[in-house]
Amino acid sequence: MIDRGGKGLLLGGYNEFLEYAQLYYGVTSRMTTQMMMIIAQENLETHIEKELEKEAMKDLISPLQVWITSAASPASCNLIPILMSGEVFGKNTEISLTLFDQQKVENYLKAMVMEIEDMASQILLRISYCTKIEEAFQQAQVIIVLDESTEREVTSLENCLRSKVSLCRLYAYHMEKNAHESVKVIVGGKSFVNLKTILLMQYAPSIADNIIAVAMGVEGQARATIAKKLKTAASCIKDVIIWGNISGTNYVDLRKAKVYGYDSAIWGPPNRPDFSRPVLSLIFDSEWIQKEFVMTLKNLTATGKQFGGILAAHSITTTLKYWYHGSPPGEIVSLGVLSKGEFGIPEGIVFSMPVKFENGTWVVLTDLEDIEISGKIMNNMTSDLFQEKLVALGNNITFQPYKSESQVIKKLENEPSPTSYENMEEQMERSNEIIFEDTGDKDSMFYDLFPDEENEPIFSDESEDKFDAYL
């Protein structure tokens, strides 16, 4: 009985205990009741001291402090089991997980905490929740920023963009104030990922170098689409590059894409599992690449409905795993980072580009050959990114979807012919307003000629459905 109750604990009344000891063990005691009560009290005090010592020991252990925003979202529910598995930070890395969300979902967060405790994960040292913004990100070493709740009615795309500013400013302030100085911030989801990342960088400049945007979700969709065409597994497709706006207009680059272990007329050496073949050499239908492939990806990502919690969770955790342990040698990973002029990308915007992870950080693969991006494609991709930021910060009143020169010409051809010189001037002014946006910045891409994207392959333009994606 003593063993069952724990060392030094007394179960039941004194008389019952003596009776049990005499019948079971044949042992009797001459100890008085008063003395037994004194010993019981001493044992209880000893037990309490030992429990306090255990808690103090836990405090001496420094677990990895992980925070998840919008923790009541479906993506969070899929994310947590992967974090608890030990596959992301390592089997021997204990973590302290904090779920952060609004006050109105506090009861749901409490239920999540209880359910996570029931998982009995060996690496989870403690689990808690937070609903007060002033207490957010205390000593955080990893912050995962998910899409916020969309229950509040948003009347326009412009209001939606501007709402990101106040939220990101608030998050960034408390990240700088409360989080660890080397905190890693990873932004994932399906709505305005690049915009939220650049805003966090702008309002938290001291940690800007450690803020990234996840692009592996879009990359995974492209790999799966190619795999279906080649009748192979998506895991066999590597080195697909995603350029541009992760949740908007982007360019899926297959020039470096490879397929491994492909069942075809050409086989590699049996002792060379790393043997691969270029994807473009196996897809002979160029029309499929330029039209059906592009439309398939656009339909998958235009509304964001196909980018659910499972894909978001997998993309975030895989990116985090690479960040901590490095990406597979020789493999290209797409990541949204702050542009410093690489590949001719304008500086000062968050842009998805090819990188590799090593030594706890990432390196942009500027040494890749034959991946130059034409000015037409570059302007097309950067248009939405500049406009999102300008509208969000109030520099522009309205968001104007990108229009190519050919689209403007078609629009003018469909309009009635001007009947006077004055009408012709007005019509030309309207066309210029469509093509150019005066930002006051002569280095802006809006001063370049816009391309005819109809002649550019493998391009996904989602600007028209951007507001639908948010809703």
Side-chain angles (χ1 to χ4, degrees):
M1 288 186 63
I2 292 177
D3 289 340
R4 292 179 183 176
K7 186 176 181 180
L9 289 184
L10 184 62
L11 300 181
Y14 174 55
N15 294 331
E16 289 81 0
F17 177 75
L18 289 180
E19 181 180 358
Y20 177 85
Q22 183 177 10
L23 293 174
Y24 193 83
Y25 295 103
V27 177
T28 59
S29 175
R30 298 181 182 276
M31 190 178 296
T32 63
T33 301
Q34 183 178 1
M35 180 60 69
M36 182 63 77
M37 295 301 294
I38 293 173
I39 295 175
Q41 181 62 33
E42 290 177 351
N43 290 343
L44 178 61
E45 292 174 358
T46 302
H47 173 71
I48 293 174
E49 288 177 3
K50 289 185 177 181
E51 290 298 313
L52 292 176
E53 287 178 5
K54 289 181 181 180
E55 292 298 322
M57 289 299 294
K58 286 184 178 180
D59 292 336
L60 294 177
I61 301 173
S62 299
L64 186 68
Q65 300 287 337
V66 181
W67 284 68
I68 302 176
T69 71
S70 305
S73 65
S76 175
C77 296
N78 290 282
L79 180 68
I80 292 171
I82 306 177
L83 295 177
M84 297 299 99
S85 68
E87 295 295 328
V88 179
F89 304 112
K91 297 287 186 179
N92 298 320
T93 302
E94 293 184 319
I95 69 174
S96 174
L97 181 63
T98 305
L99 310 178
F100 178 67
D101 213 320
Q102 303 176 50
Q103 181 75 34
K104 62 183 180 180
V105 295
E106 183 174 1
N107 290 335
Y108 184 75
L109 294 179
K110 289 181 180 179
M112 286 185 67
V113 167
M114 294 178 62
E115 193 169 359
I116 294 169
E117 289 174 338
D118 293 342
M119 291 173 62
S121 171
Q122 294 182 352
I123 67 170
L124 180 64
L125 190 65
R126 63 176 63 91
I127 173 70
S128 60
Y129 70 90
C130 176
T131 58
K132 298 179 180 179
I133 185 62
E134 60 272 12
E135 299 176 1
F137 314 127
Q138 290 288 344
Q139 298 302 313
Q141 294 169 282
V142 176
I143 300 175
I144 303 172
V145 181
L146 301 178
D147 287 332
E148 61 277 7
S149 171
T150 57
E151 293 180 359
R152 182 168 55 89
E153 181 179 359
V154 181
T155 56
S156 67
L157 172 60
E158 288 75 15
N159 289 340
C160 176
L161 289 169
R162 295 182 184 111
S163 69
K164 307 300 177 187
V165 176
S166 57
L167 179 68
C168 291
R169 183 191 290 120
L170 196 61
Y171 279 3
Y173 172 77
H174 288 92
M175 286 177 185
E176 281 200 318
K177 179 182 177 183
N178 298 334
H180 193 274
E181 60 182 7
S182 62
V183 61
K184 291 178 170 62
V185 181
I186 183 166
V187 183
K190 60 184 179 182
S191 64
F192 306 107
V193 175
N194 296 57
L195 175 63
K196 289 187 289 188
T197 305
I198 190 63
L199 290 175
L200 289 174
M201 291 178 175
Q202 178 173 328
Y203 294 120
S206 65
I207 60 172
D209 291 338
N210 275 357
I211 304 177
I212 61 174
V214 179
M216 293 194 71
V218 182
E219 181 183 328
Q221 291 174 330
R223 291 168 61 185
T225 305
I226 296 169
K228 289 179 182 177
K229 176 67 174 178
L230 295 177
K231 294 181 174 58
T232 187
S235 60
C236 297
I237 310 297
K238 306 287 186 182
D239 299 343
V240 175
I241 302 175
I242 307 299
W243 299 93
N245 192 346
I246 296 167
S247 51
T249 303
N250 51 58
Y251 173 70
V252 182
D253 192 344
L254 302 182
R255 288 175 292 180
K256 295 294 180 181
K258 305 179 185 69
V259 56
Y260 291 80
Y262 186 60
D263 186 7
S264 65
I266 300 178
W267 283 79
N271 58 344
R272 288 287 304 278
D274 59 339
F275 178 78
S276 63
R277 299 186 62 194
V279 166
L280 292 179
S281 69
L282 297 174
I283 302 178
F284 304 102
D285 188 355
S286 60
E287 185 175 354
W288 179 88
I289 295 177
Q290 296 183 14
K291 294 182 179 180
E292 186 176 340
F293 175 62
V294 174
M295 290 306 301
T296 299
L297 292 181
K298 181 177 180 180
N299 292 335
L300 283 174
T301 59
T303 62
K305 292 179 180 178
Q306 299 297 326
F307 194 84
I310 297 176
L311 180 56
H314 174 74
S315 304
I316 291 169
T317 52
T318 302
T319 304
L320 269 176
K321 178 182 178 180
Y322 290 170
W323 200 349
Y324 271 83
H325 304 291
S327 54
E331 187 170 320
I332 299 174
V333 180
S334 298
L335 186 70
V337 298
L338 183 65
S339 170
K340 297 180 181 179
E342 303 94 340
F343 308 107
I345 302 168
E347 296 184 17
I349 57 175
V350 171
F351 202 89
S352 178
M353 60 183 77
V355 306
K356 66 176 180 180
F357 287 91
E358 60 181 9
N359 301 323
T361 186
W362 66 88
V363 178
V364 179
L365 298 175
T366 54
D367 57 345
L368 290 177
E369 298 179 354
D370 302 323
I371 59 167
E372 292 79 10
I373 304 175
S374 69
K376 294 180 179 181
I377 296 178
M378 184 64 69
N379 286 342
N380 203 342
M381 288 189 291
T382 55
S383 174
D384 277 4
L385 292 173
F386 277 110
Q387 286 214 53
E388 282 181 2
K389 185 176 180 181
L390 291 171
V391 172
L393 296 176
N395 294 29
N396 284 1
I397 298 176
T398 59
F399 183 96
Q400 298 179 359
Y402 170 80
K403 297 291 183 182
S404 69
E405 189 175 8
S406 63
Q407 288 174 314
V408 174
I409 293 175
K410 290 179 181 179
K411 178 179 177 63
L412 294 178
E413 288 176 349
N414 294 331
E415 290 184 355
S417 301
T419 56
S420 66
Y421 180 77
E422 290 76 9
N423 290 339
M424 183 180 297
E425 285 187 332
E426 292 178 1
Q427 185 167 319
M428 291 301 296
E429 288 178 1
R430 287 198 302 272
S431 67
N432 289 334
E433 289 175 357
I434 295 174
I435 300 179
F436 296 101
E437 176 65 36
D438 185 4
T439 65
D441 182 5
K442 293 184 178 181
D443 295 329
S444 170
M445 48 69 63
F446 292 109
Y447 284 84
D448 298 332
L449 277 176
F450 287 135
D452 180 1
E453 75 275 18
E454 292 179 355
N455 297 326
E456 301 293 347
I458 325 178
F459 190 81
S460 174
D461 183 1
E462 303 159 13
S463 58
E464 295 180 358
D465 301 307
K466 186 181 296 292
F467 189 51
D468 293 335
Y470 178 77
L471 296 177

